[in-house]
Amino acid sequence: MRIAYVIPAFPPAPSQPFVVNEMIEVQEAGHEVFVVPLYRGATALRHGTFARLRPAGVFSPALVDAGILAGALRMLLARPMAVLRTLGALHRAAGKNPWSHARLLAVTPKALAAARWLVAVRVDRVHAHFANQTADCAAIAGSVAGIPFSFTAHAYDIYAGAPRFRNDTLGWKLRRAAQVFAVSDFAAQRLRAQLPPAARGRVHTAYVGIPLELFRPEPPLPSGDGLALLCVARLAETKGLATLVAACALLRDRGVRFRLRLYGDGPLRQALAAHIAARGLGAEVVLAGPVPQEEVARQMRACHAVVMPCRQDHTGDMDGIPTVFMEAMATGRPVISCPVSGIPELVRDGETGLLVPSDDPRALAGAIERLARDESLRVRLGRQGRALVERQHDQRTTARRLLHLMLGAGPPAGVGEAAPS
């Protein structure tokens, strides 16, 4: 099968290794992978695994240029009714939200030019990661080219409610897609609820996979120097990092020995640094920048637990299942988080990690202190976490299951999903 992936950027964004890892597994399963990026990648950070991606073709990474405009015009002249019908339906779905119309207008030339290219390279399926602009592009290109399209919904692309980020074309895409995938049962059930009962079987849970050869189980660390905590995250409201800093201040005041390494970047970086300084936590909390997967794996081996108290933000946005939790558990490290979105499907309280209420520094500090004082609990949670990740998040298994669904064979034996409601 020839599959074209519509993704946000090329070279791929380092914050989305799961997208590249999936394409690599599809490629290594014997299928041809083509890439349609919306934008040109702007960061120099690359994960080592990205070198394994060898696409059969990459469409122009520019959002718009003279070549894209020319290709779009040729597609419009070749299939005017298909173009007008598709664009009209999507703009009607966008309703009165000017941000939705602007996003559609931004991707339309790219989508039409890509449609012409996809026909030329004889693609069998167009698949987008994320349900918003990338899925808009896939929907336009696939509908105009007469190629089935599908998409994987993650988190902000279906949860955010602010007009600027709200996915107003989601319903149209759900009804027209050949298949829809979601990264958790929680998200899949939300998407199914927007469809009539007869169509809900087209929505599947497709857990994100990680490279288990990189994130290997490691023996537990001794805790003689205090608990080593790790957080790898985009520095955004949904991660609950202000709560984490407040919990660290409580731990210090209680005399609990610990150190926290926090890696990432994002809009809250300056505010978070100021929060750490105001609490006088410079000796206990290190705020560093984003790092490649290989360094994340090294930091996992050097920590006792991963902590990220996820929350729903003021727009309704929230995480799906953070990939860093899978990486931690694959390494045999327990996770402390909150029962938000699909997180309890992986971080099972008392089984593979600990869950506390969001926005509750005292509860979070209590959970961290519990792990600090109970080595046997850390070991048990880490061992059981590794077993769950092997069953649920091995990227070879998750990619194989996705391909079976795309090929119409149903889920392969031994790999289940929640039944449609």
Side-chain angles (χ1 to χ4, degrees):
M1 183 163 61
R2 295 183 168 197
I3 305 175
Y5 274 86
V6 183
I7 64 174
F10 195 89
S15 61
Q16 298 158 7
F18 47 86
V19 176
V20 179
N21 292 340
E22 179 182 295
M23 291 191 287
I24 290 169
E25 294 299 334
V26 168
Q27 160 195 289
E28 294 187 355
H31 302 273
E32 288 186 88
V33 171
F34 296 81
V35 179
V36 179
L38 290 190
Y39 311 100
R40 192 180 306 278
T43 177
L45 178 65
R46 296 286 179 269
H47 303 297
T49 53
F50 284 16
R52 294 170 53 200
L53 179 63
R54 299 179 301 278
V58 178
F59 192 61
S60 168
L63 180 61
V64 63
D65 59 19
I68 286 171
L69 290 174
L73 179 60
R74 291 189 186 101
M75 199 66 193
L76 174 61
L77 294 174
R79 301 187 183 183
M81 294 310 297
V83 171
L84 295 176
R85 185 168 55 246
T86 301
L87 295 179
L90 278 165
H91 279 283
R92 283 193 296 273
K96 297 180 179 180
N97 187 344
W99 296 101
S100 292
H101 291 287
R103 287 194 295 268
L104 284 170
L105 290 171
V107 301
T108 292
K110 181 69 161 277
L112 295 180
R116 188 167 179 269
W117 182 69
L118 297 173
V119 170
V121 297
R122 295 179 290 113
V123 159
D124 302 303
R125 168 68 69 94
V126 186
H127 183 72
H129 262 283
F130 301 98
N132 48 9
Q133 264 189 296
T134 46
D136 287 339
C137 183
I140 296 168
S143 298
V144 171
I147 301 169
F149 78 91
S150 54
F151 60 89
T152 297
H154 288 261
Y156 80 96
D157 51 331
I158 57 173
Y159 298 141
R164 183 172 181 175
F165 304 107
R166 191 174 62 228
N167 192 347
D168 289 299
T169 59
L170 178 61
W172 188 91
K173 290 174 290 195
L174 284 172
R175 294 189 298 273
R176 298 300 190 279
Q179 289 163 313
V180 176
F181 305 93
V183 299
S184 69
D185 286 337
F186 178 92
Q189 294 290 8
R190 275 207 173 190
L191 296 177
R192 288 179 187 129
Q194 299 183 48
L195 290 170
R200 291 174 183 170
R202 290 188 292 105
V203 179
H204 308 275
T205 301
Y207 285 122
V208 165
I210 63 168
L212 294 185
E213 69 277 8
L214 177 59
F215 294 95
R216 302 181 300 274
E218 296 287 336
L221 293 178
S223 55
D225 294 330
L227 203 66
L229 301 173
L230 178 66
C231 182
V232 182
R234 183 170 183 267
L235 308 185
E237 192 180 343
T238 55
K239 307 301 182 180
L241 299 176
T243 298
L244 177 55
V245 173
C248 286
L250 289 173
L251 291 169
R252 183 213 37 214
D253 294 345
R254 294 175 189 175
V256 178
R257 298 173 63 201
F258 75 95
R259 59 192 182 280
L260 168 66
R261 289 188 175 273
L262 175 52
Y263 291 93
D265 208 349
L268 297 184
R269 184 175 188 85
Q270 288 187 334
L272 193 61
H275 193 31
I276 293 167
R279 298 274 184 160
L281 288 167
E284 292 86 3
V285 179
V286 175
L287 178 59
V291 290
Q293 270 189 317
E294 293 72 20
E295 179 60 19
V296 173
R298 193 182 76 80
Q299 291 296 330
M300 291 292 178
R301 295 193 293 271
C303 79
H304 293 100
V306 166
V307 186
M308 188 161 68
C310 300
R311 64 189 301 275
Q312 190 172 33
D313 75 9
H314 68 284
T315 74
D317 190 14
M318 51 187 164
D319 271 305
I321 304 177
T323 309
V324 69
F325 292 171
M326 305 165 201
E327 296 165 346
M329 291 163 57
T331 313
R333 303 299 184 248
V335 171
I336 302 175
S337 190
C338 306
V340 170
S341 183
I343 289 172
E345 296 169 36
L346 178 65
V347 186
R348 301 177 181 178
D349 191 35
E351 180 184 340
T352 62
L354 300 177
L355 294 175
V356 300
S358 296
D359 305 321
D360 190 336
R362 291 189 179 278
L364 181 61
I368 295 170
E369 188 170 3
R370 183 181 170 194
L371 284 188
R373 301 189 187 285
D374 192 340
E375 182 178 0
S376 64
L377 177 62
R378 297 199 305 269
V379 172
R380 178 172 63 82
L381 296 177
R383 182 177 62 248
Q384 292 172 170
R386 170 70 192 193
L388 178 57
V389 169
E390 286 179 350
R391 295 194 305 271
Q392 192 167 283
H393 295 282
D394 179 345
Q395 70 181 33
R396 291 188 178 90
T397 302
T398 57
R400 178 169 59 94
R401 182 174 178 280
L402 185 76
L403 286 167
H404 271 73
L405 290 167
M406 284 186 176
L407 290 165
V415 183
E417 67 164 6
S421 60

